[in-house]
Amino acid sequence: MAVGKDTIMLGAPGAGKGTQAKILSQELGILHVSTGDILRANVAGGTELGAKAKAYMDRGDLVPDDLIVDMVRARLQEDDCAHGVLFDGFPRTLPQAEALTQVLQETGRGEARVVAIEVAEEELVRRLSGRRVCRGCGHISHVDSLPPGQVTCPDCGGELYQRSDDSPEPIRQRLQVHAKQTEPLLEYYGSRGGLLRVDGTGPPESVAERALTALRS
Ligand code: AP5
C-alpha cells in the first residue's frame, strides 16, 4: 500500500502527543484527531459512549477496543478528514492497529506514517503531575511554566483545570497499561517500515522540529 497523509502519534502518557499534535497538524495541514479528547467530550456531554468510557478512563485503563474502533471509523467518514488525519492516542492496542490498517486499506487512504515520541518515565510522571488544561480552548500547559498561582489560560483567559486521571494512582496505571498494551505497536509498525522515532525531550518547538525533519526526510 502506498504511503498516504495520515500520521499516527505514538508515545506514553505525558510524552507530549497532544502538545506536538497541535503544532504538527498545522504544519502538515492535516486534521488533529485525539481519541482522548473525543472521549472526554462524550463524558462531559453525558452521551451513552461517555457513560461507558468514564470508569475506564478514571482508573487509567483503556476503553474497550470495539467502542474505540467504531468511534474512529465514524470520525474518519466525516468530510474534514478527507485531507489527512493526525491520530493522537490511537491506535493503542494491536487489535486497534490492525483495524486501522484495514480501514485505511478499504478506504484507499494509503499506509499511515508513524511518529513515536520517546521520553524517560521519570519525566513523564513530572509532566503529568503538573499538567493544566484550559476548559475554553484546550491549551495544554504545566505549572512549572505558569506564574505561581495562575489559574487562567495564558492564551484565552479560560479556566485551567487538572484532568481527573492526572493523579498518582491513575498515572501509575496508565504508564503500566502503556508498557503492556501499547509498546508492542512499536514492533508492529517497525516491521511495516513506517516508524520514525523522535527524542521527546527539550522545548516543544525543538521536538516538533525533529519530528518534522523526520517526516519530511
Ligand atoms: P489521552 O487523552 O490520549 O491521554 P494519554 O495517552 O494518557 O496522553 P496524555 O494526554 O496524558 O499525554 P500527551 O502525550 O498528550 O501529553 P501532553 O501533550 O498533554 O487518553 C486518556 C484516556 O482515554 C486513556 O487513559 C484511556 O482511558 C482513554 N483512551 C484514549 N484513547 C484510547 C484508545 N485509543 N483506546 C482505548 N482507550 C483510549 O503533555 C503532558 C504535559 O507535559 C503537559 O503539562 C505539557 O505542557 C508538558 N509537555 C509537553 N511537551 C513537553 C516538552 N517537550 N517539555 C516539557 N514539558 C512538556
Side-chain angles (χ1 to χ4, degrees):
M1 186 168 43
V3 177
K5 284 195 169 175
D6 295 320
T7 306
I8 294 166
M9 181 133 324
L10 289 181
K17 300 182 298 296
T19 302
Q20 290 304 317
K22 285 193 173 59
I23 305 174
L24 298 182
S25 58
Q26 280 197 351
E27 290 287 333
L28 299 169
I30 58 179
L31 185 76
H32 174 197
V33 172
S34 155
T35 44
D37 286 350
I38 299 176
L39 290 168
R40 279 184 288 278
N42 275 274
V43 172
T47 68
E48 197 184 328
L49 171 62
K52 285 180 183 160
K54 188 175 184 317
Y56 295 99
M57 296 173 74
D58 285 347
R59 281 197 304 270
D61 284 331
L62 294 183
V63 174
D65 287 336
D66 54 341
L67 294 179
I68 297 291
V69 169
D70 287 351
M71 181 180 98
V72 172
R73 211 185 269 275
R75 185 67 186 87
L76 274 175
Q77 280 169 8
E78 291 178 38
D79 290 346
D80 56 356
C81 292
H83 302 296
V85 165
L86 183 61
F87 293 104
D88 162 10
F90 177 86
R92 265 172 137 101
T93 64
L94 220 40
Q96 290 182 20
E98 286 164 354
L100 179 62
T101 300
Q102 193 186 343
V103 172
L104 296 180
Q105 235 157 24
E106 284 167 6
T107 51
R109 295 176 74 98
E111 188 95 33
R113 303 173 296 177
V114 185
V115 178
I117 308 179
E118 300 182 318
V119 175
E121 181 160 331
E122 198 181 273
E123 171 67 1
L124 297 173
V125 174
R126 187 197 72 80
R127 289 184 184 184
L128 292 172
S129 311
R131 173 167 51 190
R132 296 293 180 273
V133 184
C134 173
R135 276 196 207 285
C137 67
H139 178 78
I140 302 165
S141 52
H142 192 280
V143 284
D144 289 353
S145 58
L146 293 167
Q150 176 153 347
V151 291
T152 53
C153 174
D155 272 12
C156 77
E159 181 201 351
L160 293 180
Y161 77 102
Q162 184 165 26
R163 271 173 42 179
S164 59
D165 57 351
D166 279 349
S167 48
E169 189 45 44
I171 288 177
R172 234 187 327 270
Q173 177 66 5
R174 285 155 66 202
L175 292 173
Q176 278 180 13
V177 166
H178 178 266
K180 204 167 155 198
Q181 295 188 255
T182 309
E183 272 182 15
L185 298 192
L186 294 173
E187 203 179 317
Y188 175 79
Y189 286 113
S191 69
R192 297 181 72 85
L195 181 68
L196 305 163
R197 289 174 183 265
V198 172
D199 174 7
T201 54
E205 299 72 27
S206 308
V207 179
E209 202 50 54
R210 274 178 230 134
L212 285 169
T213 304
L215 281 164
R216 287 171 176 152
S217 65

